[in-house]
Amino acid sequence: MLQTSNHTKVMQTEIAFHRCINPACGATYEPRSIRTSCDKCGDLLDIAYDWDRAAVPSKMSDFEAMWSQRTNPVRFSGVWRFHELLPFARQDEIVTVGEGQTLLQQTDSVGDYVGMNHGQLHLQYEGMNPSGSFKDNGMCAAVTHANMMGAKRAACASTGNTSASLALYCSATRLMKAIIFIGSGKISYGKLSQALDYGALTVQIAGDFDDAMIRVRQVSQELGIYLVNSVNPFRLEGQKTIMFRVLESLGWEVPDWIVVPGGNLGNSSAFAKAFMELKELGLVDRVPRLAIINASGADTLYELVERRGVRWNGGDVNMDPIREYNDVMDRDKIRADTIASAIEINRPVNLKKCLRALEFMDGVVRQVSDQEILDAKAKVGAGGFGCEPASAASVAGAKLLRREGVIAPSDRVVCILTGHELKDPTATVAYHTTDQDLFNKTLGSRGVTKASHANRAIAVPNELDDIMKAIELYS
């Protein structure tokens, strides 16, 4: 039975349903409805399943058989290949553009930088998605539900990657119009160019991501526009498949650590939900630990968890420190400020789900400077997997945790690279440049004082002998 918004009981006709994450509430709602919060208590919602009615494989390795169905777009997708673990839509309702063809790369060059034994550090490279970031994992699920609901317009607030992903899905499928809210000067050209090229209606407001998030929620409510930010629980259903692919790449063995950048906290929340369900279904016998890495210029989660002691506490979250810190940010006009623009967020909408994730996965939270992020980014790039700055927070965070002794050199660690290098080429060029003015303007203003791992261009005269001498000297 499902509980509707007016708390009457209706027969459950589908496997999936909305469920309030607050254990003291636990209200449930029909899946073919548009909700981003509980009607009863206002908390966030999960998409939950009646697993007894679902066709769940008896072991994870059974999903390997799906590779034999590569001509089926559903099974080609690295998200929908695991349809049995997110069965909220029928196969004929699924929207896909071939997302999730991503790579788990074992890398000793980056492992040496972090301080790991050889063979133990892995990079999950989500920049290989169609729009160049992990967002496609969740967007295909959100757009699928939006289409199920007959939506003609879909909206998001974005620091860049969400807007690029939504715009791509709307453009490629022609199912609905994308409407994107961005803050003034708070989006890289690599990402903005995607939204514009894919034909989205882009609304730039005076303010930052948090301001844009407030407005997009208001506008979506008033105009009946489908909201696809990660407060939408269907987004996280798609994002949890990143963990399924990690397990698949590791021969279905569970790693010791998952290290992920912390922005709006959708990924960390989704990853924990994946392991909660796999554990419940008996498909894994243990779960990895979780490390969430903030940029020091956007460190709300670190502040709340590590300094103010906020915990999930079985769902009984003490909200006072959260409200107090929000008041401090308002009073002191604290704004997120980091070169890692994808995680430049003050008020993460999935905070409570993330607290639950930290409790379930015995997680830790750390913060790293922009200097540490860019140095780690350069080492990732030198290893052949260029990523945007926010992605490199995971590697910088792993290095910090290794230095602290929290991560052992023998642990198997998976760092999530959330976005492609070309999402923010300005930061990359500025780090490696010989142009001191460009370096100072782009990076120096954010506290970056050096480029220890820069690969600078060599200036030579346009003379054959000089060119050959330079190549012999430096190569």
Side-chain angles (χ1 to χ4, degrees):
M1 303 285 283
L2 290 182
Q3 185 175 331
T4 62
S5 57
N6 61 5
H7 313 309
T8 60
K9 297 287 185 176
V10 296
M11 289 300 296
Q12 182 174 337
T13 58
E14 300 194 53
I15 294 171
F17 53 97
H18 291 89
R19 181 170 61 200
C20 178
I21 69 166
N22 184 347
C25 175
T28 56
Y29 308 94
E30 64 277 14
R32 293 177 186 264
S33 60
I34 301 174
R35 286 181 167 83
T36 56
S37 62
C38 177
D39 295 358
K40 184 178 177 182
C41 74
D43 256 322
L44 296 170
L45 297 170
D46 278 330
I47 303 303
Y49 302 96
D50 180 356
W51 293 115
D52 291 337
R53 299 175 57 214
V56 179
S58 60
K59 56 187 183 300
M60 288 296 283
S61 59
D62 289 348
F63 283 105
E64 293 171 12
M66 305 310 174
W67 282 96
S68 67
Q69 304 175 33
R70 301 291 283 169
T71 56
N72 177 354
V74 170
R75 297 307 187 184
F76 179 81
S77 165
V79 172
W80 299 112
R81 183 163 76 249
F82 302 98
H83 181 219
E84 287 76 6
L85 295 177
L86 55 156
F88 66 83
R90 301 189 310 266
Q91 281 208 18
D92 63 344
E93 296 175 311
I94 284 172
V95 175
T96 176
V97 297
E99 59 288 317
Q101 303 302 315
T102 58
L103 177 71
L104 182 72
Q105 177 68 25
Q106 191 278 313
T107 170
D108 287 334
S109 65
V110 182
D112 289 341
Y113 175 73
V114 171
M116 302 300 300
N117 292 349
H118 281 195
Q120 296 306 102
L121 186 77
H122 298 75
L123 304 177
Q124 176 65 20
Y125 189 39
E126 290 299 306
M128 295 174 70
N129 273 292
S131 78
S133 87
F134 76 94
K135 300 287 187 178
D136 296 349
N137 295 282
M139 197 59 66
C140 69
V143 171
T144 290
H145 184 251
N147 193 45
M148 290 165 59
M149 298 304 300
K152 299 303 178 187
R153 294 182 293 185
C156 70
S158 182
T159 59
N161 285 331
T162 303
S163 65
S165 185
L166 174 61
L168 181 146
Y169 275 87
C170 290
S171 176
T173 64
R174 302 294 177 183
L175 293 173
M176 57 200 76
K177 178 71 175 180
I179 303 171
I180 290 157
F181 286 64
I182 61 172
S184 52
K186 292 292 185 178
I187 184 171
S188 73
Y189 280 168
K191 301 169 187 178
L192 179 60
S193 64
Q194 291 179 280
L196 298 175
D197 218 29
Y198 295 146
L201 172 60
T202 302
V203 181
Q204 187 170 19
I205 69 167
D208 59 12
F209 172 83
D210 298 293
D211 298 314
M213 189 71 230
I214 291 169
R215 292 305 185 197
V216 76
R217 295 179 80 166
Q218 293 171 335
V219 169
S220 296
Q221 179 69 30
E222 291 293 325
L223 298 181
I225 299 171
Y226 189 93
L227 182 65
V228 299
N229 280 100
S230 60
V231 71
N232 180 325
F234 290 95
R235 272 277 307 277
L236 304 195
E237 288 305 286
Q239 285 169 220
K240 74 185 185 185
T241 64
I242 297 171
M243 291 298 98
F244 303 156
R245 297 198 299 275
V246 166
L247 294 176
E248 183 179 50
S249 298
L250 293 175
W252 309 110
E253 294 181 2
V254 177
D256 298 303
W257 284 91
I258 301 294
V259 188
V260 62
N264 232 356
L265 306 179
N267 265 341
S268 51
S269 302
F271 296 171
K273 186 174 189 291
F275 282 106
M276 287 177 190
E277 292 173 345
L278 294 179
K279 194 76 163 55
E280 177 188 353
L281 292 167
L283 293 173
V284 296
D285 58 4
R286 67 183 187 93
V287 300
R289 295 191 68 186
L290 178 68
I292 304 172
I293 312 301
N294 280 168
S296 57
D299 64 347
T300 296
L301 182 67
Y302 180 82
E303 174 71 28
L304 293 175
V305 171
E306 297 298 326
R307 294 185 178 137
R308 298 175 183 248
V310 177
R311 297 292 186 271
W312 174 244
N313 194 27
D316 185 18
V317 179
N318 181 0
M319 296 299 296
D320 289 340
I322 300 173
R323 284 189 286 265
E324 289 167 3
Y325 187 59
N326 284 341
D327 289 343
V328 168
M329 288 193 289
D330 289 338
R331 184 195 68 211
D332 297 343
K333 295 181 170 54
I334 296 173
R335 296 288 187 178
D337 184 22
T338 170
I339 195 68
S341 60
I343 54 175
E344 193 178 46
I345 295 168
N346 262 0
R347 288 176 168 79
V349 298
N350 286 297
L351 175 60
K352 279 195 173 182
K353 285 185 178 180
C354 177
L355 294 173
R356 181 179 66 177
L358 288 167
E359 181 172 287
F360 177 73
M361 297 181 71
D362 190 20
V364 298
V365 183
R366 294 292 186 272
Q367 60 171 342
V368 291
S369 68
D370 281 7
Q371 181 74 64
E372 292 170 304
I373 286 171
L374 289 176
D375 286 342
K377 178 185 177 320
K379 296 302 290 187
V380 170
F385 294 91
C387 65
E388 67 171 320
S391 297
S394 62
V395 175
K399 183 177 176 65
L400 172 62
L401 289 165
R402 176 67 203 94
R403 189 166 64 243
E404 293 177 347
V406 177
I407 289 177
S410 58
D411 286 344
R412 180 182 275 182
V413 177
V414 175
C415 292
I416 310 299
L417 300 185
T418 49
H420 196 281
E421 178 178 35
L422 295 180
K423 288 286 188 173
D424 193 353
T426 302
T428 303
V429 172
Y431 184 88
H432 294 287
T433 189
T434 57
D435 183 340
Q436 193 62 43
D437 289 339
L438 176 61
F439 180 93
N440 292 340
K441 178 181 177 181
T442 307
L443 307 180
S445 61
R446 298 177 183 273
V448 180
T449 61
K450 58 185 177 180
S452 302
H453 308 289
N455 178 30
R456 296 186 174 91
I458 302 164
V460 296
N462 186 15
E463 297 291 340
L464 182 59
D465 286 346
D466 291 318
I467 294 169
M468 291 192 297
K469 286 178 183 178
I471 291 172
E472 290 294 339
L473 178 61
Y474 292 105
S475 66

